[in-house]
């Protein structure tokens, strides 16, 4: 629904210094919502890989990590890892749209449709 696309999401680490985004800004791209937390080992590994993918496909792809954790915690963590991805922070509303029981959890969206919710590989 349009309300999801227009939902203001607080961000940190935005390359243009923005404090918030909407998903609507990324329509036309493959959007990967990546639900994560700083304490989650597989999340940290996934973020590094997604950062590399975003750098390789900046026009076609929008990787949007999402954490329920506060802005300072997420921003300090991303900087300590040298990760350049923006991250949505302090976010719990999106979990109702894209429910999950474990992290990391990804949702791939293209042209307004959920394309995939890939299974997580814990290795």
């Amino acid at each position: 629904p349009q309300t999801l696309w227009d939902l203001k999401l607080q961000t940190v680490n935005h390359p243009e210094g923005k404090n918030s985004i909407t998903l609507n800004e990324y329509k036309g791209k493959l959007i990967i919502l990546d639900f994560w937390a700083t304490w989650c080992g597989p999340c940290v590994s996934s973020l590094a890989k997604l950062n590399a993918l975003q750098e390789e496909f900046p026009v076609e792809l929008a990787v949007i990590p999402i954490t329920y954790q506060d802005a300072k915690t997420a921003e300090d963590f991303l900087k300590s890892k040298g990760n350049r991805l923006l991250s949505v922070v302090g976010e719990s509303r999106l979990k109702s749209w894209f429910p999950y029981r474990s992290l990391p959890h990804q949702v791939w969206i293209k042209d307004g449709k959920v394309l995939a919710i890939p299974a997580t590989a814990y290795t």
Side-chain angles (χ1 to χ4, degrees), residues 46-88:
S46 177
L47 279 175
K49 293 171 187 169
L50 290 170
N51 188 58
L53 274 175
Q54 181 63 71
E55 289 179 357
E56 188 172 343
F57 302 101
V59 175
E60 305 91 344
L61 181 63
V63 174
I64 304 175
I66 299 166
T67 184
Y68 65 86
Q69 293 177 284
D70 66 85
K72 180 164 178 28
T73 300
E75 186 171 35
D76 289 350
F77 180 82
L78 291 169
K79 285 183 179 176
S80 75
K81 297 295 181 188
N83 194 300
R84 290 176 293 286
L85 290 171
L86 72 84
S87 185
V88 171

Side-chain angles (χ1 to χ4, degrees), residues 6-55:
D6 294 335
L7 190 64
K8 268 205 185 281
L9 304 168
Q10 180 187 0
T11 61
V12 296
N13 215 33
H14 193 285
E16 297 170 14
K18 292 182 179 181
N19 293 323
S20 66
I21 61 166
T22 65
L23 294 180
N24 200 48
E25 296 172 43
Y26 302 95
K27 273 192 173 174
K29 294 185 176 198
L30 171 61
I31 300 170
I32 298 178
L33 302 179
D34 182 52
F35 294 86
W36 71 287
T38 58
W39 51 262
C40 169
C43 297
V44 174
S45 176
S46 177
L47 279 175
K49 293 171 187 169
L50 290 170
N51 188 58
L53 274 175
Q54 181 63 71
E55 289 179 357

Side-chain angles (χ1 to χ4, degrees), residues 66-121:
I66 299 166
T67 184
Y68 65 86
Q69 293 177 284
D70 66 85
K72 180 164 178 28
T73 300
E75 186 171 35
D76 289 350
F77 180 82
L78 291 169
K79 285 183 179 176
S80 75
K81 297 295 181 188
N83 194 300
R84 290 176 293 286
L85 290 171
L86 72 84
S87 185
V88 171
V89 295
E91 182 54 49
S92 59
R93 299 167 295 175
L94 289 176
K95 186 175 181 180
S96 67
W97 293 98
F98 308 107
Y100 58 88
R101 289 200 249 178
S102 63
L103 296 172
H105 175 73
Q106 291 183 358
V107 179
W108 295 17
I109 302 169
K110 177 75 173 162
D111 299 325
K113 295 182 174 112
V114 173
L115 291 183
I117 300 176
T120 303

